[in-house]
Every structure is written in structure tokens, then in C-alpha cells.
Amino acid sequence: MNPLFNDSSITVAIVGCGGFIGCHLLDAILTRTQWRVFGVDLDFYRIQHRLSNERCEFMVADLADKSVVERIAKYPVVVNLAAICTPSRYMAEASEVIRSNYDHPASLAEACAKSGSWLIHFSTSEVYGRTSADSGLLVEDETELTFGPVSASRWSYATAKLLTERYIAGLKNLKWTVVRPFNFVGPYMDFMPGVDGSGIPRVLANFSSALVRGEPLKLVNGGTAKRSFTSVFDAIEFLFALFETGKMGRVSAALGAATEVSKLPFSQAFNVGNPDNEITIAELAHKMRKIFAEIKGVSLESIPEPEKISGVEYYGKGYDDSMRRLPSVEKAERLLGFKAQTPIDVVLRESLTWFVMHYGFPNH
Ligand code: UGA
């Protein structure tokens, strides 16, 4: 084992520790390393089984509280996963979305710059904005970032995330890495409406909920938008490659030899995605119906056909969309030796099986 993973003097602060990505990161740290964790979130229902772990300390709080921010920044590595990140909220709660995705992370970044912590900040693939159907590979340091008009309030989230990236990159003395997730999916993603959350979750959880309820999947604007779905377990592998390459922040860019410095993951934004898993949302619906029928042991014909609906009708005024999000993954491969491996059919079967086991069939 890498001695870094055996080092019990390391504590990682995880903001959003009880969320979808946070719960998987916590599990991986506790099973693969000897590190300690300081976990912050507003709820911990996904990680109940970890609450009494002696290597963990948890705090119910959010980044609106400056004293909490100061406390988090005392740890040498800070992973910030906290965000409002479901598109159904970007229109109706634009101001809250901006506070959560700009004000709060900006104050955490300032505190990390003062304390010298390595901030690993989760941004979004949505910073690439209103991409068209024929846009090509999205490259971290090259692609133009273009958003819709202010009246298209869908972009409240993406503009706040982008401003945070720019703020982080401009802060003097901050050791930072930005992660741009491309549609991570897997167990514990989002919620089931009416069971453990309300509103419209992201597409995988929404389609899974409709399937177990025997309702038709909704194809927004015909389901022609494309996404590159990425296993959350691949995302965790990315983080471990990052921790290892960045030596848990214990290396100073100023001290390294020039060739080494160019390979360090600091002051970099990374796409984390799986371009091999690109599909349209209509194809996603078809695959999920097929897998669900197999899991349930019924015919595909017995699963309701998807229905088309307009984005504004489904999400409300101000909804807009990225038509294609195809990540370039060259940088993560070059600097970290990381490449997502899990094929789309495996990711979907694993996620849907978990969903059925976790929630059952509420209408049956
Ligand atoms: C969202 C967030 O805004 C991003 O920040 C985040 O990085 C990203 O998810 C992610 O999971 O990584 P988006 O991909 O638009 O962005 O989120 P979804 O709600 O999962 O929608 C994906 C596509 O499916 C969109 O075209 C949407 O219109 C469509 N959709 C969604 C449906 O056709 N039916 C549904 O029931 C739900």
C-alpha cells in the first residue's frame, strides 16, 4: 500500500460529506486508508452507519456560518462537494442557488488561502454552458464558455460555479484544484420524490423513480440532449489519483523541480467524465426501461412508453439546456494517470438495481 494511505496523521475535511458523492468518498477513505475525516453537512442519512466511526468527526452545519468555514480550513486537505445542483431549482430559487454556489465556496476558498490548505473544489460540467448539438470535445483550458440570456435563469447555477472557479484561480496563495463532474451516477444519487425529497431530481433518479412507480419517463424537449454518464465509483478513483499525485498537499510547487511542477495537479481544472458513455436522453430512457424489465422479470412492452414534454412545461419558465457535454479527458490522463473505466450498461444496471433494493416498489 502507498505509505501516504497508511498515514494516520492525515485528516481530510469533506464539505457535503452526507451527499451523493460525499458518502462514497467517505466509504473509500475509511476502507482504503488510515486517514481521519472531518465531515460537514446539513444531514447525514446516507452515512448513518459511519456516524460512530472513531476516525470521523461530523458536524451539522453549512458554509453560511463563518466560524464553520474557519474550522474546516484548519485541515490540510479540504474537499468541497456542497452545492444546490438539481436543475429544477435553478429557476425558482436562483438567488439561493447563487449563494450556495458562489458566496459560500468563495468564503471557504479565502479561508483556505489564509490557512494554506489544499482546496479541492467541485465545480460542474455545466460551466461549458449552452452547448449545441454539434459542439465537440470540451477541453478545460480551451473551450469557450457561453451562457444563455439572463432571462434563461437555468444558467444561474453555471454562472455562479464559473465565477467561483475564476475567484479561486485569482486568489493569491491558494493551493487549489477544480473538478468538473460530467453527470456522475450511481447508488444514493439524489432522492425519490415524495419519499426522501421533493421536486424533480436529476435524470437518473427521476427515471428510476418513474420506473418503480410504473409511470412513463418524461423526455424533456424530445430527449435529444446528450450526456456522458460517469460512474460515481470512477469519480472516487479520480479523487484517489488526485490525492496521490498531489501527495495530500504536502508538496510545494515552489520547491519541486520544473518538470515535476508541471505534473502537479495544483492550479488546474479537471474534467471528470466518460466520453465512451455518451448517449441521448431518449437512448438512456430506452436502456433504463430494458434493464428495469430484466430486473423485474417482465417484458419490455409492459413498461410504459416514454412521453415527450417541453422543458418550460416540465421545469418552469427560464429552463434552457446544454445539448451536448462530451468531456476531453486527456488532462486527467496526462497529469494523474486517470481514466474512467465503467461502461454505461454496467453503471445503469448497478444504479437501477440499487434503487429498486433501496426504495422497493411503492405503488405495488
Ligand atoms: C445537472 C447539473 O446542473 C450539473 O451541475 C451537474 O454537473 C449535472 O447535472 C451532473 O449530474 O453532473 P443536467 O445534466 O442538465 O445538469 O441534469 P439532469 O437533470 O440530470 O438532466 C439531464 C438531461 O435530461 C437534460 O437534458 C434534461 O432536460 C433531461 N431530463 C431530465 C429528461 O429528459 N427527463 C427527466 O425526467 C429529467
Side-chain angles (χ1 to χ4, degrees), residues 24-151:
H24 292 292
L25 177 59
L26 177 67
D27 272 348
I29 288 178
L30 293 179
T31 51
R32 290 163 61 170
T33 77
Q34 293 303 315
W35 304 341
R36 307 180 71 82
V37 171
F38 177 63
V40 177
D41 212 323
L42 290 172
D43 69 62
F44 291 107
Y45 73 91
R46 288 182 179 90
I47 55 170
Q48 287 296 329
H49 60 298
R50 298 292 190 191
L51 294 184
S52 56
N53 188 292
E54 57 183 18
R55 283 198 277 139
C56 299
E57 188 184 344
F58 296 104
M59 185 184 236
V60 179
D62 74 9
L63 298 177
D65 183 337
K66 293 271 184 211
S67 66
V68 173
V69 169
E70 299 296 326
R71 176 141 185 229
I72 295 166
K74 289 203 168 76
Y75 295 97
V77 179
V78 175
V79 182
N80 184 15
L81 297 157
I84 294 177
C85 58
T86 39
S88 58
R89 299 179 65 185
Y90 303 167
M91 287 71 69
E93 301 169 59
S95 308
E96 194 46 43
V97 166
I98 291 167
R99 268 193 291 280
S100 142
N101 288 297
Y102 173 66
D103 294 23
H104 298 174
S107 78
L108 180 62
E110 285 163 12
C112 289
K114 264 193 216 140
S115 64
S117 310
W118 178 17
L119 175 64
I120 300 172
H121 176 73
F122 271 66
S123 182
T124 173
S125 55
E126 208 158 304
V127 294
Y128 294 104
R130 198 192 214 185
T131 51
S132 62
D134 59 4
S135 60
L137 274 185
L138 303 171
V139 186
E140 291 94 333
D141 303 307
E142 290 174 23
T143 301
E144 299 286 337
L145 311 175
T146 312
F147 299 94
V150 171
S151 55

Side-chain angles (χ1 to χ4, degrees), residues 175 246 249-262 264-267:
K175 188 179 279 187
R250 288 170 169 183
V251 57
S252 154
L255 294 177
T259 48
E260 277 176 5
V261 171
S262 68
L264 289 175
F266 308 126
S267 306

Side-chain angles (χ1 to χ4, degrees), residues 90 124 126 154 157 183 203 206 218 220 227 319 321:
Y90 303 167
T124 173
E126 208 158 304
R154 154 61 191 255
Y157 168 80
N183 293 76
V203 68
N206 211 28
K218 303 281 191 203
V220 171
R227 295 290 187 270
Y319 184 72
D321 208 353

